[in-house]
């Protein structure tokens, strides 16, 4: 009986390998929040990935094969995300791109893990990569990396002795709030207001009133793009004068577009931005804007560089092998001199977390302005 089971398993593995070895297009699956509360983030990620794929295909494809991107909309709904991921996995993709929201990643990542399919996603919740997954890879910092950086900024630049935190009550927001509070505590900075909000919330009047009443020296805003814009508008309306500090999202181009003048003065740490002073990133931004008619945010860069990371690792392997691809990405450093599409030198560790330089920024006259650079943690 055991012998028959072994033969069946070996046959299944061999069949899966042969599917990848066939000629013709190689299947990439995009799983994202193309509708619902995550549409802004995921559309950016998807479009960045599409641009990278088209560039690679225009140069002859990946190992001589065209890349085909099949898209699946999670509708920002956990139940839908699982069914969409299963549909994608049934098509035996070489790799899964996305999702972007941490909660959506959390409910779907096990399906990719069981199928031994690399999943290059945009979620930032710290616990995603702490569960021992072998096939999960980030395209941006996890909160365990970004929050210490923002905490140092609060202490060393803002010089705040107490702060208020406004966070969205989902996996992304709760993970960020927990890590932020831990880092504040370790630096002796008191959190005097801890305000939970809802995903898709439209009215922040009461939250701003509470934050003002706490007499905080700064307010840390950790909500999604559209909510960030609404909070900024309400804060300016109520005359909040203390620094409004964020981590990447608050200073994103989509937030600036939605908030208008209310975004001016917002500042904080940005792990990725289309406005960083790197010529390759500026070129990416111009190409993206020309094609899609909007300015990309950090999610666009995530999708773009995620595809190029896969392409680089695959070319190094010289074959399409999902297990070998995942193994090779752990511990890999990709430099722009070796793969220009990676834009910034990036390292993946044994858990699939990344390390690279990052920036501090402020919104000035409706534009994100980079005011400083932070080194890789490994240096």
């Amino acid at each position: 009986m055991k012998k028959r089971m072994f033969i069946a398993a070996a046959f299944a593995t061999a069949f899966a390998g042969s599917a990848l070895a066939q000629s013709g297009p190689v299947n990439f699956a995009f799983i994202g929040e193309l509708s619902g509360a995550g549409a802004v983030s995921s559309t950016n990620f998807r479009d960045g990935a599409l641009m990278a794929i088209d560039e690679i295909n225009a140069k002859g494809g990946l190992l001589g094969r065209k890349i085909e991107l099949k898209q699946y909309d999670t509708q920002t709904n956990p139940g839908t995300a699982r069914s969409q991921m299963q549909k994608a996995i049934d098509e035996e993709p070489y790799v899964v791109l996305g999702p972007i929201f941490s909660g959506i990643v959390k409910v779907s990542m096990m399906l990719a893990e069981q199928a031994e399919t690399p999943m290059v996603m945009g979620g930032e919740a710290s616990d995603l990569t702490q569960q021992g997954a072998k096939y999960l890879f980030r395209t941006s910092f996890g909160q365990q990396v970004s929050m210490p950086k923002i905490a140092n900024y609060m202490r060393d630049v803002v010089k705040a002795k107490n702060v208020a935190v406004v966070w969205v009550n989902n996996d992304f927001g709760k993970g960020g709030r927990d890590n932020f509070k831990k880092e504040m505590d370790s630096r002796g900075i008191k959190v005097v207001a801890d305000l939970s909000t809802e995903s898709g919330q439209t009215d922040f009047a009461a939250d701003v009133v509470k934050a003002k009443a706490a007499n905080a020296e700064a307010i840390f805003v950790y909500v999604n793009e559209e909510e960030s814009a609404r909070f900024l508008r309400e804060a300016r309306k109520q005359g909040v004068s203390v620094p409004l500090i964020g981590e990447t999202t608050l200073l994103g181009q989509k937030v600036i577009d939605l908030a208008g003048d209310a975004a001016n003065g917002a500042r904080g740490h940005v792990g990725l931005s289309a406005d960083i002073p790197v010529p390759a990133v500026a070129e990416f931004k111009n190409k993206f804007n020309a094609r899609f008619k909007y300015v990309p945010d950090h999610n666009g860069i995530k999708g773009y560089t995620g595809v190029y990371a896969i392409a680089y690792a695959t070319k190094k392997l010289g074959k399409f092998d999902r297990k070998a691809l995942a193994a090779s990405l752990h511990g890999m450093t990709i430099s722009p001199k070796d793969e220009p599409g990676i834009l910034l030198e990036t390292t993946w560790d044994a858990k699939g977390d990344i390390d690279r330089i990052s920036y501090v920024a402020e919104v000035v006259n409706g534009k994100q302005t980079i005011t400083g650079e932070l080194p890789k943690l490994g240096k």
Side-chain angles (χ1 to χ4, degrees), residues 16-38:
S18 67
L20 284 174
Q22 292 174 357
S23 60
V26 59
N27 176 16
F28 281 31
F30 170 74
I31 313 286
E33 300 82 358
L34 294 175
S35 59

Side-chain angles (χ1 to χ4, degrees), residues 28 59 70 80 82 100 188 193 206 210 259 339 353 366 369:
F28 281 31
K59 295 177 181 177
K70 296 184 178 180
T80 303
R82 277 189 61 86
I100 313 306
K210 292 176 183 175
E339 175 47 78
D353 287 319
T369 303

Side-chain angles (χ1 to χ4, degrees), residues 59-101:
K59 295 177 181 177
L62 183 56
L63 299 182
R65 296 171 61 182
K66 297 289 185 183
I67 300 172
E68 183 177 87
L69 185 67
K70 296 184 178 180
Q71 302 182 36
Y72 304 84
D73 182 8
T74 72
Q75 302 174 14
T76 324
N77 180 296
T80 303
R82 277 189 61 86
S83 65
Q84 293 294 84
M85 176 65 89
Q86 189 59 62
K87 286 182 182 178
I89 292 298
D90 289 346
E91 295 290 326
E92 297 189 351
Y94 177 53
V95 66
V96 171
L97 304 171
I100 313 306
F101 273 23

